[in-house]
Every structure is written in structure tokens, then in C-alpha cells.
Amino acid sequence: MSEESPKQDRAPTEGMGLFDTIVNLAKRRGFIFPSAEIYGGIRSTYDYGPLGALMLRNVRDAWWRAVVRERDDVVPIEAAIITNPKVWEASGHLETFVDPLVDCRSCHERWRADQIDGACPNCGSADLTEARPFNLMFKTFVGPVEDESAVAYLRPETAQGMFVNFLNVMTTMRRKPPFGIAQLGRGFRNEITPGNFVFRTREFEMMEMEYFVPPAEAASWFEYWCTERLDWYERYGVPKVMLRLRQHEESELSHYSAGTADVEFLYPWGWGELEGIANRTDFDLRSHSEHSGTKLEYFDQTSGEHYMPYVIEPAAGLTRTMMAMLLAAYDTDVVAGEDRTVLRLHPRIAPYSVAVLPLSKKETLTPLAKKILRTLQRRFVCDYDETQAIGRRYRRQDEIGTPLCVTVDFDSLEDGAVTVRDRDSTEQVRVPIGQLPGTIAERLEAELDR
Ligand code: ATP
């Protein structure tokens, strides 16, 4: 028996109630914990639990697959988090990576002036200090002496690691524009007002790619990457109605940008950024050329010309994307007269692909269930659970988004078959054990290239 509740029936957002539900589910089920909770945590900092770690890895893989693996024009890199501070001088971060900071004279809270309406959101007082620029980079010292010459910064973005390696990568990999360099990794920003769970944190992970193109082709590659990146979110299960592409107004553009568009998601509090796609022109290569004295150019042998490529940059937040995917996947329905919560996560994004569940903890079932688990683990990320009634175990797997459950029962010992249950339809089919890996692969992969 199956009772379906198609996702489209649900309103795109159900307000902050949904947000609290997700925050709660994330904690209760082991996706995201407040960091160092036993010490009272630390403001807006989170640790990713077992399911969070699995899911982050899946989102990373999905990005990597689309941006690196399925292409022949993009190569990866992993650059240092703490590098030569001259990089941040050339990139403009030392001077311009600032937010306007104001203090409330009544309650002493600090705010970003551009995010409040002239009054303190905490106490309502309009007695605020003048806005002053606050640099968001985390400062540290390299080596044992804490003096000015030892100052360094934690990278606020991964992009610069790709610009400074432009020549190394182009030469060693024998590339010519158009080509891209991609990088995944942590970024650090001393945000004045972090918040909204993992939407804005001080330490987060980014998925960035710098695509170097002949200047005359920049506008069309910008359009191309806007479409590619918007499609990626849909491909991995974010419904179209919760996504939009918003072009920046002239006045919003960063100093380096000749065009920027944000992929936005409909968060419970309204539309907000998931990813920014920018035409950065030759700003970065030019600036690093000037500051370093090394010309970051491409020599076009056909025309005999040296030129500085333009850069199209799609820059996405991994942790923000994970949260958006959780919000988009949350659903409730009624199965056999009982309420259930189900995360309708894309099978590639769900923490586990398959759960192996022996019907009972009886010793007779365990060896066969474990044997099946070992076989499936070679190809899929599996959970194994033998405690509690089977109905409750199904509910748990639904709530963490596991697309398929494999139940080993007493008949399995006789007929060499198991039951495969589908998360979304709750339909159950009997499958011979020998055909299990193939059946599961088919069921999961059928959804991959929708
Ligand atoms: P915002 O306007 O939200 O501060 P931004 O425009 O400064 O973001 P970018 O520099 O374009 O962000 O960073 C690329 C992506 O990194 C963003 O689209 C977002 O998904 C993610 N990101 C940026 N800052 C944070 C943060 N403090 N916490 C979590 N993710 C972030």
C-alpha cells in the first residue's frame, strides 16, 4: 500500500515554524549540533554530526561532479588557508572587505548598519554610534613572535588561491582560455551579526570556480554559468518555485564586477543568496600582476597576442546549500493512518542511500542481514539498524531522508529474497538477494539524471 504526498502540494515556505522544526530535527537526528555544547556553545558556531558530515560530503560530491568531473575544461586545486598577506592587499580585501559597524549606546549590542533600520533590533533605541568600517578578515600571527611582520589572515574566500596559481595551473595543465580552476574549502569571516542557523556563520565552507575566458566572450560565459548553476540546484532536488536568479543593480555591483547575479532561495524569512555568479573582468589577474610583478597573461599563439583573461566566478556556500536542501526537502504526510515526517532529499544528497533492517534482532537474521550489508556497503552508503519495531525504524529512516530500506525477514532465510521499501511512495517490493545491488543502483540512478 502506498500513500503519496507529492511535494508540489506544499506551499514553498511555511514561515519560521518550519525553520524551528528543521533546526530541531537537525539537532535531534545528528545533522548539526551547537559547537562545544557541553561548554555552553559559542555564538552561531556549529559542529556537523554524523548525518551532517555525510550530507555535506554528498553536496560537495554533487558540486564536484557537475563542475569538475563531468567537464574537460575545469581542473581542481587545494590552496593554503593562511597565505602571504600580500595576496589580501592585492585582492582589495585589506582595504575594502569591510562592513559598516554601529554600536547601540543603550544595550551595547553591535550591528551592521546596512542591516538595521536606524534602531537597535535588540532594545529599540535609536541612540547608535556613527558607522565605522570593520574588516571581516580574521587576523593571526605566523610563528612565535606576535609583531606586525608576522600578521597573516585566514582566507575569507577561496578565490584568491586560484588567481595566484593561474600561471602554475595553466602551464602545468597545458590549458588555454576558456578553462576553469575549482576549489572547495573553508572560508572565515568575522561577521558582525552571524545568525539564522548555518545561513551566516563565521566559519563556513565554499564551493568556488574561476573560469578564465577571452574578454570578448565574458558576457556569454556569464550567461552560461548562471544557467548551469541554477539548473544544478534543481537537478539535486530543490524545487523550481524555491529558486530564482536575481541580477544585481548597477549600484550593488562590487568594485571588480561587470555583472553579478545571485542564485536565490526562498528561505522561511524570504529570498536570500545561495550563490553569487560574477563577471570579475580582469580585475584580479591585473591587480596580482601589478602587486607581484609577475604578468598573469595568456599568450595566444594564433594571433601572436598576450592578453589577460576575464574571469567568471560562480561562488556557492556549501553549508548554506545544505540548509536550503533540508528546508526544501521537509515534508509531512499520513501513512496507514499515522503522521510521518519525511525528508524528500535527492538520493545523492541524502546521508544514507540504503538502510539494512533485519526484521528482528533474533540471532538467526543477523548473519544474513550483515552479509547483505557488507555487499551493499561496497557500492552505497548504508545504515544498519536492528533495534525497535520495524515501523519505528522506517519512520526514522524517512525522517533522515534515506531513499530505500532493505528488510531482511524470516522468509528471507527460506526464499533468498528481501523487501525493498521506497521512502516517497512507501511501496514495498520483494527482490532476490542476488539482484539487490543492481535493483538498488537502478532505483537510485533513475533519479540522477532527471
Ligand atoms: P552575503 O551577501 O550573504 O554576505 P556574500 O555576497 O558576501 O554573501 P560571497 O562572497 O559571494 O557572499 O560568497 C559566496 C557564497 O558563500 C555565498 O553565496 C554564500 O552561500 C556563502 N557565504 C558567504 N558568507 C557566508 C557566511 N558568513 N556563512 C555561510 N555562508 C556564507
Side-chain angles (χ1 to χ4, degrees):
M1 263 266 318
S2 78
E3 288 164 63
E4 279 199 57
S5 161
K7 191 74 215 297
Q8 304 82 281
D9 287 354
R10 194 161 66 80
T13 169
E14 289 154 6
M16 294 307 276
L18 168 67
F19 192 55
D20 292 343
T21 306
I22 292 293
V23 174
N24 184 293
L25 189 154
K27 163 92 200 292
R28 195 164 37 83
R29 290 301 190 191
F31 284 84
I32 305 174
F33 306 126
S35 185
E37 198 179 12
I38 58 167
Y39 288 104
I42 166 166
R43 195 179 163 201
S44 294
T45 304
Y46 297 90
D47 294 336
Y48 291 82
L51 298 195
L54 289 168
M55 186 169 166
L56 281 178
R57 193 187 169 105
N58 291 343
V59 181
R60 267 186 215 115
D61 284 352
W63 182 86
W64 186 270
R65 186 183 161 103
V67 176
V68 182
R69 209 184 94 191
E70 290 178 353
R71 306 187 63 96
D72 59 10
D73 56 350
V74 178
V75 290
I77 190 176
E78 293 204 22
I81 287 177
I82 299 176
T83 185
N84 190 323
K86 286 181 182 158
V87 168
W88 309 114
E89 202 181 307
S91 67
H93 280 84
L94 273 177
E95 203 180 323
T96 59
F97 197 56
V98 291
D99 278 337
L101 172 69
V102 292
D103 295 62
C104 170
R105 287 201 181 91
S106 301
C107 72
H108 308 292
E109 277 287 331
R110 296 203 159 111
W111 304 101
R112 247 174 83 172
D114 58 335
Q115 283 181 348
I116 61 173
D117 238 356
C120 171
N122 186 42
C123 71
S125 165
D127 190 8
L128 306 172
T129 59
E130 281 292 300
R132 60 191 187 281
F134 173 76
N135 195 299
L136 300 186
M137 282 199 293
F138 277 97
K139 225 179 196 179
T140 187
F141 299 95
V142 173
V145 184
E146 297 195 358
D147 65 15
E148 269 309 297
S149 67
V151 167
Y153 302 88
L154 302 189
R155 69 177 175 203
E157 58 175 36
T158 68
Q160 300 304 322
M162 300 186 263
F163 297 129
V164 298
N165 279 294
F166 167 75
L167 276 187
N168 280 341
V169 172
M170 187 168 64
T171 322
T172 55
M173 303 308 289
R174 295 174 299 114
R175 298 285 155 161
K176 65 178 213 180
F179 78 96
I181 309 179
Q183 174 163 222
L184 273 157
R186 299 251 165 165
F188 303 83
R189 296 182 187 180
N190 202 358
E191 301 276 3
I192 297 168
T193 44
N196 282 338
F197 199 32
V198 297
F199 177 80
R200 189 178 303 286
T201 49
R202 293 191 170 115
E203 174 180 347
F204 57 98
E205 192 163 333
M206 308 168 88
M207 311 184 282
E208 296 194 295
M209 200 267 290
E210 309 304 324
Y211 199 72
F212 300 93
V213 302
E217 297 174 19
S220 58
W221 281 113
F222 174 71
E223 296 299 322
Y224 169 88
W225 282 108
C226 285
T227 310
E228 277 292 300
R229 295 304 306 146
L230 188 63
D231 287 353
W232 181 83
Y233 291 94
E234 263 192 68
R235 175 176 169 192
Y236 286 101
V238 182
K240 227 187 177 91
V241 288
M242 300 181 94
L243 289 169
R244 73 175 189 193
L245 192 71
R246 187 182 69 81
Q247 301 288 339
H248 280 210
E249 305 288 331
E250 196 81 19
S251 60
E252 278 179 274
L253 293 180
S254 322
H255 54 289
Y256 53 73
S257 176
T260 298
D262 287 345
V263 176
E264 291 191 333
F265 176 77
L266 190 51
Y267 295 95
W269 55 88
W271 290 100
E273 181 174 335
L274 262 181
E275 169 160 357
I277 301 144
N279 174 354
R280 297 178 71 114
T281 68
D282 60 2
F283 173 83
D284 307 275
L285 293 183
R286 187 165 298 283
S287 186
H288 284 300
S289 298
E290 281 162 15
H291 282 78
S292 68
T294 301
K295 272 195 184 156
L296 303 178
E297 290 181 334
Y298 170 70
F299 176 60
D300 187 342
Q301 281 175 334
T302 2
S303 67
E305 259 185 318
H306 289 271
Y307 72 86
M308 213 166 262
Y310 270 30
V311 174
I312 310 302
E313 174 194 76
L318 171 66
T319 33
R320 216 180 256 192
T321 298
M322 172 185 169
M323 186 180 93
M325 285 175 166
L326 286 174
L327 284 163
Y330 183 85
D331 203 3
T332 52
D333 63 2
V334 177
V335 172
E338 263 189 58
D339 289 342
R340 79 164 175 160
T341 297
V342 52
L343 287 186
R344 298 190 192 279
L345 289 168
H346 186 280
R348 282 266 184 205
I349 298 296
Y352 295 114
S353 301
V354 188
V356 177
L357 314 172
L359 189 63
S360 96
K361 235 168 135 176
K362 290 250 165 61
E363 276 160 28
T364 38
L365 288 185
T366 310
L368 179 61
K370 284 272 164 103
K371 190 169 167 230
I372 292 171
L373 175 71
R374 300 286 169 246
T375 310
L376 295 181
Q377 274 174 330
R378 290 192 205 123
R379 291 179 66 179
F380 313 103
V381 181
C382 300
D383 193 15
Y384 182 83
D385 187 3
E386 56 180 17
T387 53
Q388 296 186 322
I390 191 71
R392 292 191 68 171
R393 280 183 275 158
Y394 283 150
R395 294 293 173 275
R396 175 173 179 274
Q397 295 300 334
D398 289 341
E399 205 180 5
I400 64 175
T402 310
L404 296 173
C405 289
V406 170
T407 309
V408 184
D409 55 25
F410 293 100
D411 288 344
S412 308
L413 300 171
E414 306 299 322
D415 66 1
V418 289
T419 301
V420 176
R421 174 187 178 272
D422 179 272
R423 174 196 72 197
D424 293 331
S425 66
T426 73
E427 238 163 39
Q428 304 191 4
V429 290
R430 202 78 186 154
V431 176
I433 293 169
Q435 291 172 21
L436 201 49
T439 308
I440 291 175
E442 224 171 81
R443 296 278 290 273
L444 295 179
E445 273 155 25
E447 299 214 33
L448 293 185
D449 298 306
R450 281 185 293 180

